[in-house]
Amino acid sequence: MFDRSFPYAEFESPSKLPEPLRHSRVKLSQGQIFWREVGTGPDVIFLHGSWRDGSQWLPIVEELASEYHCCVPDRLGCGESESANIHHSIAVGVENLAEYVAALKLEKVDLIGHSLGGWIAASYALKYPNKVKGLILLSPEGVNVEGLQRRWRWLRWLSANPPIFPFLLKLAHPFLRLLGRGDAIADGFKLREKMLRSPSSCEFLFRRRTPELKAELLNDHLDFLKIPVLILQGSRDDAIAQSVSQTYNSLIPKSELHFINAGGENLPEELPVIVGQYIRQFLRGQSVSTLEIPTVRQL
């Protein structure tokens, strides 16, 4: 069920790659998945974040493809994968990943996930523990922390369609500027534009009933994870994101949490060399606590 006939894209073939990046598609039960693939060695699957697609991982793949078989799918409804008319949920994302792993005939993989991709990766590892060697989570979603419900309400209003609340907010923008809130509102509208470009992620996070969403949170399940887990968190990310990573670390028995200086909410694209070093050390089975990371200026 594979089609590997798609042409290589020059902008997705960085010079450090050991071979050209391969593009492939496979038909799953709920839609057609597009993914990028390069390298040989142990199998590593990268799951992208909420408002992005698999291309987010290309700077990291460039760092790792000489040692690992890197598979980078676009989630259904994102990037070049099919925009299937399905009910998006974590459970659906996990089953799509399971079908993808089976289609590639992969025995046991390392999973790397950012944001929403981290939530799906951790949920997959809990459901299919014999299929996962190790787990790397970058600024993951998926656990409840103080302030998270308020944030979700705000983002649900901000991404509303029809945009009644955003329209009212836009009308109030001149007055809010006088109160010193203009920059925050402008940033909110930029975020709304980004969210609306990822409707499937909006459905994952903001278009479902609250009880269904809460039922997929992992607070009560993470202590069942017995595999090694590395959590990477940007030190410049917001307080809620940092609290989520800390909660993951406190609940998983065999986890390491490392804050990356100068890193924000999109570590794969912001600091790929540093993140790549952490990932390589972890995949080699070595503690990342011994890793000597140069400063951003030195890089």
Side-chain angles (χ1 to χ4, degrees), residues 49-285:
S50 305
W51 318 119
R52 296 170 176 86
D53 59 31
S55 64
Q56 170 192 30
W57 290 110
L58 294 180
I60 302 294
V61 168
E62 182 178 352
E63 298 295 320
L64 300 175
S66 62
E67 300 176 53
Y68 298 96
H69 175 218
C70 301
C71 300
V72 191
D74 288 346
R75 196 170 60 247
L76 280 176
C78 301
E80 297 192 49
S81 287
E82 183 179 352
S83 297
N85 184 21
I86 61 174
H87 178 70
H88 291 280
S89 68
I90 299 301
V92 169
V94 167
E95 290 314 303
N96 287 337
L97 177 57
E99 287 187 41
Y100 174 72
V101 171
L104 270 63
K105 295 181 172 57
L106 304 179
E107 292 299 322
K108 206 165 186 178
V109 304
D110 285 287
L111 282 179
I112 304 177
H114 172 249
S115 181
L116 181 55
W119 189 353
I120 294 172
S123 300
Y124 176 90
L126 284 164
K127 186 168 184 179
Y128 300 100
N130 295 329
K131 300 292 290 184
V132 183
K133 291 188 292 186
L135 195 59
I136 302 177
L137 308 175
L138 288 75
S139 307
E141 302 274 4
V143 296
N144 197 14
V145 298
E146 184 177 355
L148 182 66
Q149 302 300 321
R150 290 194 301 273
R151 165 178 282 181
W152 279 356
R153 282 196 296 272
W154 157 248
L155 294 176
R156 188 176 293 114
W157 292 336
L158 191 64
S159 62
N161 195 13
I164 297 173
F165 176 76
F167 175 74
L168 295 175
L169 198 61
K170 193 170 186 178
L171 289 179
H173 189 204
F175 304 100
L176 292 171
R177 288 182 62 186
L178 295 176
L179 298 174
R181 299 298 304 275
D183 290 343
I185 300 305
D187 290 342
F189 280 112
K190 291 179 183 177
L191 178 58
R192 171 180 164 80
E193 292 176 4
K194 182 166 63 174
M195 288 191 296
L196 293 182
R197 291 195 294 268
S198 300
S200 66
S201 296
C202 286
E203 184 174 338
F204 261 106
L205 298 170
F206 312 127
R207 303 282 189 268
R208 297 193 285 151
R209 294 182 182 276
T210 301
E212 179 190 357
L213 191 58
K214 286 184 176 179
E216 295 188 320
L217 293 171
L218 301 177
N219 298 65
D220 296 332
H221 307 287
L222 290 174
D223 59 336
F224 292 103
L225 270 179
K226 305 305 181 184
I227 57 174
V229 179
L230 172 64
I231 304 162
L232 299 177
Q233 174 63 53
S235 62
R236 291 192 299 105
D237 207 345
D238 61 59
I240 291 177
Q242 294 187 32
S243 180
V244 168
S245 289
Q246 290 167 336
T247 300
Y248 264 97
N249 186 52
S250 69
L251 295 175
I252 297 173
K254 296 168 63 177
S255 66
E256 292 185 73
L257 168 62
H258 290 267
F259 283 86
I260 297 182
N261 291 331
E265 58 89 24
N266 185 11
L267 290 173
E269 292 181 305
E270 293 172 3
L271 299 170
V273 175
I274 291 176
V275 172
Q277 289 176 325
Y278 273 107
I279 292 174
R280 183 181 292 106
Q281 187 91 340
F282 178 83
L283 293 179
R284 289 174 174 174

